[in-house]
Amino acid sequence: MYAGQIVQFVIGIIMARLLTPDDYGIIAMITMFLCLSNSIIGAGFPTALLRKNNCTQVDLSTVFFTNCAISIVLYFFLWIASPWIADFYSQPLLVSVTRAMGITFVIGSLGAVSETILKKELRFKTIATITLIVQIVTGGIAIFFAYNGSGVWALVLQSIFGTCFRAILVIYKTRWFPNAIFSVDSFRELFGFGSKVLGSNIITQLYSNMYSLLIGRFFTPASVGFFTRADGYSRLIPINIAGVIQKTLFPMLAKIQDDETRLVDFNNRMTKITSFIIFPASMIMAGMAYPII
């Protein structure tokens, strides 16, 4: 997984040399809306599937159709709201960019359950390989379009192709396909836990993206671009490392969720190990800020 972070970092540096702060700023302006929508689609039910030890085909199919339905509805509302978003920022280009980026909701929902299956089976090497392949391929696509003057659309195409390739690869690796089944009882059971995760993630996304929203509203796209790039580099080590570890450990924690003593002990040990890595790495990153930029 860390190889993917390195590839992403290198591609990000190359793209930063080819694109302008305005290009990054345009994408950053709609980040909150995209992140909120992705949280609604992906944070609740897939997490509930990870937590449930004995998932059935009924559970998986129910979540698949629920995610697809939610993604289509959200895309519809985002399509309708795109002119208002553009007016809010006084950026007409955001209409087409928002509608194009919204396609990722629908595409991503098709592979969400398959990726959850990989996580439940602890096939993290497979997930890491898929991530690396997607980043290399889409990074090459983005660099090609950026080099040829596509501007912000290089970032849009990178996101769309990335979501599409990832969905195809996770489905191919799991060979899982839904049955024509939807269970109200399964929906209620999974929603009972998933709704709490959903609420937590919505609050997190609002907090994390509030700065971009306000800077985009009162300043220029370039200002948002500078801020988001700097914020992205500052989060590169702590957020990415913690995110990788969290995604890796959650299925393992789910298996011992009924043993409170083991759960607490495991969590404490992982917190210490993560802090031991993140704290000095963040200090080094801060010290290297000038030569990196």
Side-chain angles (χ1 to χ4, degrees):
M1 290 188 180
Y2 295 119
Q5 303 297 337
I6 295 173
V7 171
Q8 183 180 7
F9 179 71
V10 172
I11 291 173
I13 291 178
I14 297 173
M15 292 289 288
R17 301 284 294 182
L18 297 173
L19 300 178
T20 67
D22 284 346
D23 296 326
Y24 284 101
I26 290 294
I27 297 296
M29 286 177 174
I30 59 173
T31 296
M32 173 177 286
F33 306 101
L34 299 176
C35 288
L36 282 176
S37 299
N38 283 322
S39 293
I40 294 173
I41 295 169
F45 288 99
T47 307
L49 284 177
L50 280 176
R51 177 178 177 270
K52 187 174 180 180
N53 288 326
N54 299 311
C55 290
T56 65
Q57 179 68 10
V58 173
D59 295 326
L60 297 174
S61 298
T62 298
V63 171
F64 177 84
F65 290 118
T66 300
N67 277 354
C68 289
I70 293 175
S71 67
I72 292 172
V73 171
L74 286 175
Y75 183 45
F76 172 77
F77 280 112
L78 196 65
W79 181 283
I80 298 299
S82 58
W84 298 335
I85 296 173
D87 289 342
F88 177 78
Y89 290 114
S90 300
Q91 295 291 331
L93 179 60
L94 282 175
V95 175
S96 54
V97 171
T98 302
R99 289 174 175 176
M101 290 291 286
I103 297 174
T104 59
F105 302 158
V106 181
I107 299 173
S109 67
L110 300 176
V113 173
S114 294
E115 186 157 353
T116 301
I117 292 174
L118 291 176
K119 292 177 181 178
K120 284 186 71 67
E121 295 175 352
L122 305 181
R123 295 168 61 183
F124 297 111
K125 184 177 180 180
T126 300
I127 295 175
T129 302
I130 290 173
T131 300
L132 186 60
I133 292 173
V134 169
Q135 287 178 342
I136 292 174
V137 173
T138 58
I141 292 173
I143 291 171
F144 172 80
F145 280 102
Y147 180 78
N148 285 280
S150 297
V152 68
W153 290 104
L155 297 172
V156 174
L157 292 172
Q158 182 182 23
S159 180
I160 294 174
F161 279 115
T163 305
C164 185
F165 290 157
R166 189 175 190 88
I168 292 172
L169 289 174
V170 294
I171 292 172
Y172 172 76
K173 283 296 182 180
T174 58
R175 303 294 204 283
W176 179 86
F177 298 96
N179 293 339
I181 302 171
F182 183 88
S183 170
V184 176
D185 292 335
S186 176
F187 177 90
R188 289 174 178 171
E189 178 187 0
L190 295 170
F191 185 73
F193 176 80
S195 60
K196 299 177 180 64
V197 178
L198 171 62
S200 173
N201 275 272
I202 288 177
I203 294 173
T204 300
Q205 294 300 334
L206 286 172
Y207 171 76
S208 300
N209 295 289
M210 186 60 67
Y211 293 107
S212 296
L213 181 104
L214 294 177
I215 294 173
R217 177 65 179 84
F218 296 106
F219 297 94
T220 64
S223 299
V224 191
F226 281 123
F227 174 79
T228 54
R229 294 308 295 164
D231 186 55
Y233 284 130
S234 71
R235 294 168 177 261
L236 183 66
I237 290 177
I239 299 300
N240 287 343
I241 291 179
V244 168
I245 293 175
Q246 181 183 12
K247 292 177 181 178
T248 303
L249 293 181
F250 188 84
M252 300 171 64
L253 292 171
K255 292 180 182 298
I256 60 172
Q257 60 183 300
D258 297 324
D259 189 337
E260 186 174 347
T261 302
R262 287 183 63 195
L263 193 63
V264 172
D265 179 66
F266 192 82
N267 181 72
N268 289 337
R269 286 190 288 118
M270 288 303 102
T271 300
K272 292 176 182 177
I273 293 173
T274 304
S275 300
F276 182 77
I277 298 172
I278 290 177
F279 289 177
S282 297
M283 296 289 184
I284 294 172
M285 190 69 178
M288 293 176 60
Y290 184 82
I292 288 176
I293 300 302

